[in-house]
Amino acid sequence: MQLPDAAPAKAEGLMDWRAGRFSFDVGPFARPLVMGIINVTPDSFSDGGQHFGLPAAINHAERLLAEGADMLDIGGESTRPGAPPVPLDEERRRVLPVVEALAARGACISVDTRHPAIMREAIAAGASIINDVQALTAPGAIEACAAADVGVVLMHMQGTPGTMQAAPSYEGEGGVVGEVNRYLRERAHVCEQGGMARSRIVLDPGFGFGKTTEHNLELTRRLNELVALGYPVLAGWSRKRTLGELTGRKIASDRVYASVAAALTCVSRGARIVRVHDVTATVDALRVWGAMASHLGQA
Ligand code: 7PM
């Protein structure tokens, strides 16, 4: 297969990620981008599980934007290991009102979904990015995204959320890094063949999705190899279980310092976007890193 040549853009440090009406500089000298996480699952903003609290979600979103988030990722289906699937109607009810309200305020909104129907409806409601932990493998998902001008995040996952952490294993050429990078490169090419511009695509190794602690660490140590494929890379380490294992922190919200360290490590290996719960902590750390990293000059 003939691959598109991204060399001129890379050589000049000119690289934009196009996402709806937004365009983000993701070149090597740009400030790393922060994607703030808004979970709209009943365990996050519920008032007992029956009525999902729209005002609470909006408040949280406003706070993350004020703290410096460049975009917000709205997710209504828990992809936690072992989580049962959420009915489509339920995901729709949780996600769409939040997308509509926040997009109307001018924010860049990403929607974390695997379902083409939700993708289409979210785009109609104003979403600029589709973030898919299944890398647009559902039938009709590429078409739903290609028909609009949204940015897409293609993530690698081994197995399904229900079974992925049972026995993660990577036996192929190059181990976990070889398999993840081959998969993502292939998915990007399938998306491009489906009519999506290369400049709309971001790749994500999917930390914690069918990976052991050692797999997650290996993917991070060698993240530069994924970056070398030429697409912007997004890293999602925030509060994840491997950080709990490394620090002994059993409670996810106690993993803020660990998450910041992981985000900085990924950025120093070439990630251009970090997906985080704790925006202030991440933004401060990235500012200091940016001022001190020798190749970036003044912040
Ligand atoms: C419960 C456990 C709820 C774990 C949610 C999660 C990523 C993502 C998620 C990621 C991209 C979380 C995960 N993780 N999308 N969605 N990359 N692109 O920890 O790493 O947020 S859900």
Side-chain angles (χ1 to χ4, degrees):
M1 198 187 314
Q2 182 72 30
L3 305 187
D5 182 9
K10 277 166 63 178
E12 291 173 34
L14 299 172
M15 204 173 161
D16 280 331
W17 179 27
R18 290 177 28 221
R21 64 184 192 282
F22 298 89
S23 185
F24 297 101
D25 186 352
V26 286
F29 307 112
R31 178 181 64 78
L33 301 169
V34 174
M35 174 184 275
I37 301 169
I38 307 285
N39 283 316
V40 291
T41 48
D43 43 310
S44 42
F45 295 106
S46 90
D47 49 4
Q50 293 299 64
H51 302 286
F52 157 69
L54 178 62
I58 303 291
N59 275 349
H60 188 58
E62 298 281 10
R63 195 182 99 200
L64 297 192
L65 290 169
E67 290 177 358
D70 296 285
M71 61 200 78
L72 299 175
D73 188 42
I74 318 293
E77 184 198 35
S78 179
T79 41
R80 175 190 296 109
V86 173
L88 212 56
D89 256 333
E90 180 60 28
E91 187 184 353
R92 185 177 275 127
R93 264 197 300 276
R94 292 175 185 174
V95 168
L96 294 181
V98 183
V99 172
E100 199 159 350
L102 294 172
R105 287 168 206 225
C108 179
I109 300 303
S110 162
V111 173
D112 188 342
T113 187
R114 305 184 277 154
H115 306 294
I118 302 285
M119 291 173 189
R120 289 179 200 280
E121 293 165 32
I123 291 166
S128 301
I129 299 166
I130 297 298
N131 171 31
D132 185 1
V133 299
Q134 277 182 191
L136 305 181
T137 48
I142 290 178
E143 291 81 353
C145 293
D149 59 355
V150 288
V152 297
V153 179
L154 306 178
M155 199 196 81
H156 174 274
M157 167 166 58
Q158 185 178 79
T160 64
T163 60
M164 64 189 179
Q165 288 303 110
S169 151
Y170 297 85
E171 301 294 330
E173 175 81 16
V176 66
V177 173
E179 188 165 326
V180 167
N181 293 2
R182 273 194 304 278
Y183 173 83
L184 290 174
R185 189 177 56 174
E186 174 63 21
R187 292 308 302 159
H189 291 155
V190 172
C191 287
E192 287 165 39
Q193 243 128 46
M196 224 175 279
R198 186 185 173 91
S199 57
R200 290 167 54 188
I201 299 172
V202 163
L203 305 182
D204 178 345
F207 299 118
F209 285 83
K211 283 125 191 156
T212 63
T213 290
E214 197 41 56
H215 293 143
N216 292 322
L217 295 176
E218 184 71 5
L219 284 165
T220 303
R221 290 186 198 107
R222 295 172 57 189
L223 196 64
N224 56 307
E225 295 175 38
L226 176 58
V227 170
L229 297 183
Y231 299 86
V233 167
L234 181 149
W237 259 114
S238 192
R239 299 187 180 183
K240 280 184 178 167
R241 197 180 63 183
T242 291
L243 298 178
E245 270 155 29
L246 295 174
T247 58
R249 307 274 176 209
K250 291 195 164 50
I251 300 168
S253 59
D254 289 343
R255 300 172 189 159
V256 179
Y257 310 115
S259 300
V260 170
L264 277 188
T265 302
C266 290
V267 164
S268 73
R269 301 258 194 290
R272 304 310 306 154
I273 308 145
V274 289
R275 180 182 177 277
V276 306
H277 298 86
D278 304 288
V279 173
T280 295
T282 307
V283 166
D284 277 9
L286 286 174
R287 283 217 179 105
V288 172
W289 177 83
M292 293 180 170
S294 57
H295 72 287
L296 291 176
Q298 298 300 309

